[in-house]
Amino acid sequence: MFGTLYSISLRRKVIIGAAVVYLFMTATILGSYYSMRSLEDKISYLENVSKLEESVLEIRRFEKNYFLYGNKDSLTTALYHLKRVEALIADNTAKIESLSSPGQIAEFKASLAEYGQLLGQCSNSFVKDSDGKPDCESAMRKTGNAMAQFGETVAKRKRDSIKETMRATVTLPLFGLIVVGCGLVAIGSFLFTKVTRSLLLLEDGTTRIAQGAFKPIETLPAERDIRNILIAFNSMALQLQDREEQLVQSKKLASLGTMLAGVAHEVNNPLSNISSACEILLEELDEADKEFQRKFLKNILVQVEKARTLILNLLEFSRAKELNLESVSLKGIVERTLESLSGEKPTDLRVTVQIDPAIRVHVDRGKMEQAFTNLISNAFQAIDGDGEVKIRALAKKDGIVKVRISDSGKGIPEENLPKIFDPFFTTKDVGKGTGLGLFITHDIVLRHKGMIQVKSSPEKGTTFTIQLPAVENS
């Protein structure tokens, strides 16, 4: 049963909840309508009961006038009201019985008959100041009191019944309003919880995709419609991952022509130098001294090393080597990089490091040191004379660490910024750079599911910003 309930879609659950609230509202309205109609009938019925009570009271009033003033017309009027009471009893016996009992009705009718007989006796034997008047008066008053008490009791019970109906008429809509309000709050809370939780899952998933982590959402809700949306989102994430990999391969293939041209140019220079040195050595082999030969052999070794370094960089890029990811201190990586570059740092250049030692990143230590080496080395070379390099890091709440490497150097022309990460693109003088450093750095950052951006202005310096996955605090 519960499995069937959980499998119901969110839309159907909302419809069922709204239908239940609607049915309860309808029942409340119908109940209120019934109470109002019942109240209307009771008020109409109260008029007859009130007439009964009023007629009995009129009988007692004219009875009192008769005995106080000796007016025989008062007895006639009392007899008229007595007939009226008898008619009301005859017309409303069933209703009055609901307010008393058949026995009480019978007693009341007997009292009416006895009172009528007493009225006749008093009327026939009336003699002012006679001795028989007190006896007649006492009997009539006793019977009249019983009649009045019955009339008051019936009227009071009817008024109490009307009060109860009025309370129910007021309480029922109020109770319905409270229940309906609670139902609407429950439906709203249910919707808010389910929809908000699903939106948070989507937000988290889209954030991870924006960071390059195409990880599907694992915790799926039971509601079928929301579950289908998240399943479709997971399918989209996996397709984006496949397309991202295909796009990377396409970019690599697209840059292959540029790389081949660059390789041909970069390898041709040392080969030309080696060829020239070998020709000179061959020509001067018999006549040249050892120092002369040593000079050209050293030059050949330098050129071979350049070609070897170039080939190693290309091989490093071409290999799809798995990253050895681990939790490492970001400040430790930067300090190790600066230590390895201490020989390249100009004397007048200042390096400022502002990194919290508690910040840890999930990276391949060797690859990330290589990336920072390329960026910091470029920053050193961009500054002529006095200057400063700032390395700062900020841990964000979304599990990302931002690292900024800024220099006060000559900057990069705006037209060169779009090409800064292209292979073999360099702004350095011939022989001072291969144009592969930033290209490899860009590839390393992307393989870590990160991002790298550059901002630069001529004569104002350059800032590289890297986003890396942080290690969550446990």
Side-chain angles (χ1 to χ4, degrees):
M1 175 181 178
F2 291 104
T4 304
L5 180 62
Y6 282 127
S7 64
I8 298 176
S9 65
L10 180 63
R11 180 179 61 180
R12 188 164 296 179
K13 286 182 179 179
V14 172
I15 292 175
I16 292 173
V20 170
V21 172
Y22 174 77
L23 290 176
F24 189 85
M25 289 178 62
T26 302
T28 302
I29 293 172
L30 292 176
S32 299
Y33 175 75
Y34 173 78
S35 297
M36 293 296 293
R37 291 299 302 269
S38 176
L39 182 63
E40 183 181 355
D41 293 340
K42 288 184 178 181
I43 291 174
S44 175
Y45 176 29
L46 180 63
E47 293 178 359
N48 293 327
V49 176
S50 298
K51 289 178 182 179
L52 175 65
E53 184 183 21
E54 290 172 2
S55 296
V56 171
L57 293 176
E58 287 295 317
I59 291 172
R60 300 302 312 282
R61 185 168 70 86
F62 284 106
E63 170 198 319
K64 181 179 179 181
N65 289 340
Y66 168 70
F67 287 112
L68 287 177
Y69 305 111
N71 186 357
K72 292 187 66 177
D73 291 337
S74 296
L75 290 180
T76 303
T77 306
L79 183 61
Y80 163 76
H81 286 293
L82 182 65
K83 298 296 183 182
R84 187 182 177 193
V85 170
E86 291 175 346
L88 289 171
I89 289 292
D91 294 339
N92 300 279
T93 300
K95 294 181 178 179
I96 293 177
E97 283 182 351
S98 65
L99 299 173
S100 56
S101 66
Q104 290 176 330
I105 293 292
E107 290 179 4
F108 184 66
K109 289 181 178 180
S111 297
L112 289 176
E114 182 181 354
Y115 195 85
Q117 293 176 1
L118 291 172
L119 279 177
Q121 292 176 6
C122 288
S123 176
N124 294 330
S125 60
F126 174 74
V127 177
K128 188 173 179 64
D129 297 330
S130 66
D131 295 337
K133 178 182 176 184
D135 295 335
C136 179
E137 179 181 1
S138 176
M140 288 186 67
R141 287 186 182 280
K142 181 179 179 181
T143 305
N145 284 335
M147 292 165 49
Q149 185 177 3
F150 177 81
E152 290 175 1
T153 301
V154 170
K156 182 177 182 303
R157 290 178 179 176
K158 192 61 186 177
R159 284 191 290 269
D160 292 342
S161 175
I162 290 176
K163 289 179 181 179
E164 291 178 1
T165 304
M166 291 180 66
R167 281 196 295 268
T169 303
V170 173
T171 304
L172 185 61
L174 181 61
F175 175 73
L177 181 63
I178 293 174
V179 173
V180 169
C182 292
L184 293 176
V185 169
I187 293 174
S189 300
F190 173 77
L191 281 174
F192 180 79
T193 301
K194 294 295 182 181
V195 174
T196 302
R197 185 181 302 168
S198 301
L199 290 176
L200 289 175
L201 288 174
L202 285 174
E203 181 183 2
D204 183 61
T206 52
T207 301
R208 290 201 304 268
I209 289 177
Q211 296 168 359
F214 298 92
K215 184 180 180 182
I217 298 173
E218 297 178 356
T219 305
L220 299 178
E223 288 72 24
R224 189 170 63 249
D225 43 4
I226 296 181
R227 188 183 187 92
N228 290 339
I229 292 174
L230 296 182
I231 289 174
F233 178 85
N234 287 343
S235 176
M236 179 195 69
L238 294 176
Q239 291 180 16
L240 285 176
Q241 183 178 16
D242 293 339
R243 293 185 180 182
E244 175 73 11
E245 293 175 355
Q246 294 174 9
L247 181 60
V248 171
Q249 292 299 326
S250 298
K251 287 184 176 179
K252 287 184 177 181
L253 291 174
S255 63
L256 184 58
T258 305
M259 289 182 64
L260 291 175
V263 169
H265 175 73
E266 293 296 331
V267 173
N268 185 63
N269 286 336
L271 288 177
S272 298
N273 292 334
I274 291 171
S275 177
S276 299
C278 288
E279 289 177 359
I280 294 174
L281 282 175
L282 288 173
E283 291 177 0
E284 304 292 335
L285 184 60
D286 296 330
E287 300 179 2
D289 56 17
K290 290 184 179 181
E291 188 62 32
F292 180 82
Q293 293 175 0
R294 187 180 291 110
K295 175 183 176 182
F296 278 92
L297 288 174
K298 285 183 179 180
N299 185 35
I300 291 173
L301 286 176
V302 171
Q303 299 303 321
V304 169
E305 185 62 28
K306 285 184 179 180
R308 179 175 175 274
T309 302
L310 175 63
I311 299 301
L312 287 176
N313 286 335
L314 290 173
L315 289 174
E316 183 69 22
F317 171 73
S318 63
R319 289 196 195 103
K321 186 178 179 182
E322 291 294 330
L323 297 176
N324 182 22
L325 298 177
E326 57 181 325
S327 171
V328 297
S329 168
L330 178 62
K331 188 172 185 180
I333 293 178
V334 173
E335 288 177 346
R336 284 169 59 91
T337 302
L338 290 173
E339 183 179 353
S340 66
L341 292 173
S342 58
E344 298 183 18
K345 175 181 170 296
T347 306
D348 299 333
L349 191 145
R350 300 182 305 278
V351 178
T352 304
V353 179
Q354 298 176 354
I355 300 177
D356 187 346
I359 297 178
R360 303 185 70 83
V361 288
H362 196 59
V363 297
D364 184 310
R365 184 192 301 270
K367 296 294 183 185
M368 199 49 58
E369 286 183 4
Q370 181 182 1
F372 280 122
T373 297
N374 292 335
L375 293 174
I376 297 173
S377 177
N378 285 348
F380 287 171
Q381 296 173 18
I383 300 174
D384 293 330
D386 187 20
E388 183 179 14
V389 174
K390 293 183 179 179
I391 305 172
R392 295 164 291 176
L394 174 65
K396 301 179 67 178
K397 293 182 179 180
D398 55 359
I400 293 297
V401 173
K402 279 192 172 183
V403 186
R404 290 187 175 91
I405 300 176
S406 305
D407 65 66
S408 59
K410 55 188 177 183
I412 303 171
E414 186 177 353
E415 63 271 15
N416 289 339
L417 286 177
K419 301 178 288 184
I420 199 70
F421 297 113
D422 291 348
F424 297 105
F425 177 81
T426 179
T427 58
K428 299 177 182 177
D429 296 335
V430 177
K432 292 186 177 181
T434 62
L436 290 176
L438 291 180
F439 177 61
I440 294 174
T441 298
H442 183 267
D443 180 68
I444 291 173
V445 173
L446 288 185
R447 288 174 63 189
H448 281 85
K449 309 300 182 183
M451 292 176 59
I452 182 169
Q453 297 173 320
V454 59
K455 290 184 179 180
S456 183
S457 299
E459 307 305 328
K460 292 185 179 180
T462 303
T463 298
F464 283 90
T465 302
I466 298 177
Q467 294 186 14
L468 294 174
V471 176
E472 296 183 0
N473 294 327
S474 57

